[in-house]
Amino acid sequence: MRSQGFSRFYVIRPENFAWLTGGSNTLGFGEGVAYLEIGEELLLHTSRIEHPRIAEEEVPGLPVQVHPWYAFPPPGSPNDLEHDLTLLRLALSKKAQEAFRRLGREAAELVGEVVRAAKPTWREQELAGALAEALWGHGIRPQLLLVAGEERLFRHRHPLPKDRPLGRSFMAVVCAERGGLVANLTRMVNLGDGEVEARYRKVLEVEEAALDASRPGAKLGEVFAALQAAYERVGFPSAWEEHHQGGVGGYRSREAIAVPGHPLTLEEGMALAWNPSLAGAKVEDTFLMTGEGLLNLTEDPRWPTVRVGERDRPDLWRGGW
């Protein structure tokens, strides 16, 4: 605000509201039902409908301006719909990093427990329902749930759950949100499909290149170039064009998606979520960039691992019911 000469500023976007307050200004999905006015003091604007709940449960202690629900004024200008604040929130505070650690581990363990229990006879929607129940039961909102069974695994990169059987090979993709932070992870099951096995090994190799290149001071575009080169090495030189490869996470599933030549400089405190994929296989976890290297926030100690380079990465689950 000082650099722009703003005497006041309005914050409406959910990711910025959560970043600044730790609370939510939405009803879970959709547009905000409250916004912040930042000037000489901090003021919360909301409607009479939302006032008691938000004041008590989301942002306790803030001064509040309550408006009639039928005459809720839009935020003034300048605001974060006009000015992008993404770069300001990419390096997470120590408090946010600790919250992210708890979220990531808890989400990974819940997802792992449900996926390991899923049977080939389950329907995709049944697995999605079990994942949602487990996450919500621990105060984690499933911002995104994708499930692909054997019939759809090789066909769709964003498989919304359908009434189809899981079969011998299936995948669960989760974006898990709590306190505004979003942990991303993918887990796969394979009961004997050789092509799934082979392709999963290849995406692990591609991911290794991205993780090795993810260092403080590196450009996001440089990591993307490492991904491109890795796809070529594993025999799928154009696969990077079939789906985005991930990037910087935080208060959105992806705050910045890597593209060729992206100029963003990586630094400590940033969260990274790469998701290299081929038709039939995908790997994904959320990492925190620390002074000691990358910390896997979504590691599940009960999920089988495979050694890839210098890291333990999630392996395919091969049953054991």
Side-chain angles (χ1 to χ4, degrees):
M1 288 170 64
R2 283 194 298 269
S3 68
Q4 296 292 324
F6 297 151
S7 61
R8 66 185 59 250
F9 193 84
Y10 296 86
V11 172
I12 183 67
R13 293 188 65 90
E15 60 270 24
N16 292 325
F17 192 95
W19 166 54
L20 292 171
T21 69
S24 172
N25 69 332
T26 75
L27 297 176
F29 301 93
E31 297 181 0
V33 295
Y35 58 84
L36 301 173
E37 179 182 350
I38 305 170
E40 293 182 1
E41 63 176 10
L42 183 61
L43 184 64
L44 173 72
H45 291 266
T46 191
S47 71
R48 190 171 303 278
I49 299 173
E50 307 299 338
H51 166 227
R53 177 185 62 82
I54 288 186
E56 293 170 10
E57 300 177 353
E58 299 294 341
V59 286
L62 287 186
V64 183
Q65 177 69 55
V66 182
H67 303 274
W69 61 264
Y70 51 84
F72 186 46
S77 180
N79 58 58
D80 64 343
L81 302 176
E82 304 165 337
H83 299 272
D84 187 2
L85 304 185
T86 301
L87 291 177
L88 302 182
R89 63 173 188 268
L90 292 185
L92 302 171
S93 68
K94 293 297 183 182
K95 183 178 180 180
Q97 291 178 30
E98 287 304 313
F100 221 160
R101 289 172 188 248
R102 294 190 296 272
L103 167 63
R105 175 59 66 90
E106 198 169 335
E109 291 182 356
L110 291 167
V111 170
E113 183 177 357
V114 172
V115 172
R116 289 193 300 273
K119 302 295 193 296
T121 53
W122 283 21
R123 317 299 279 183
E124 294 175 353
Q125 293 170 341
E126 187 177 357
L127 175 54
L131 288 167
E133 181 180 11
L135 292 165
W136 271 120
H138 288 76
I140 300 172
R141 179 170 70 94
Q143 192 179 84
L144 176 72
L145 277 179
L146 302 176
V147 177
E150 183 178 3
E151 294 180 11
R152 304 169 66 230
L153 187 59
F154 282 83
R155 295 176 58 192
H156 306 301
R157 298 301 178 90
H158 286 164
L160 294 174
K162 301 295 183 183
D163 187 22
R164 306 303 304 159
L166 292 179
R168 298 178 304 156
S169 301
F170 53 93
M171 173 180 72
V173 181
V174 176
C175 298
E177 181 271 332
R178 185 169 62 195
L181 296 164
V182 184
N184 308 280
L185 66 150
T186 295
R187 296 294 183 261
M188 293 197 64
V189 174
N190 185 39
L191 305 177
D193 188 314
E195 188 61 24
V196 171
E197 185 83 35
R199 292 193 173 206
Y200 192 74
R201 299 300 153 199
K202 292 181 186 296
V203 296
L204 285 172
E205 186 175 336
V206 175
E207 185 203 42
E208 180 188 12
L211 295 175
D212 287 347
S214 298
R215 303 179 301 273
K219 303 290 187 183
L220 198 58
E222 294 171 349
V223 183
F224 191 82
L227 279 159
Q228 289 177 301
Y231 275 116
E232 186 164 3
R233 286 197 302 273
V234 301
F236 291 84
S238 63
W240 61 270
E241 297 191 62
E242 298 170 6
H243 192 278
H244 79 78
Q245 303 301 304
V248 180
Y251 289 93
R252 290 188 295 180
S253 174
R254 298 298 188 278
E255 299 273 27
I257 293 179
V259 295
H262 199 300
L264 178 67
T265 300
L266 301 181
E267 58 183 278
E268 290 183 26
M270 288 183 176
L272 296 171
W274 300 109
N275 51 267
S277 66
L278 297 169
K282 178 186 177 186
V283 64
E284 179 182 27
D285 272 310
T286 303
F287 293 84
L288 179 67
M289 186 172 291
T290 74
E292 291 73 43
L294 294 176
L295 173 67
N296 187 355
L297 297 174
T298 48
E299 184 177 13
D300 177 3
R302 292 173 292 182
W303 190 269
T305 61
V306 59
R307 195 70 176 173
V308 182
E310 299 180 355
R311 301 178 187 87
D312 288 330
R313 301 301 299 123
D315 201 354
L316 296 164
W317 173 249
R318 298 179 179 82
W321 302 286

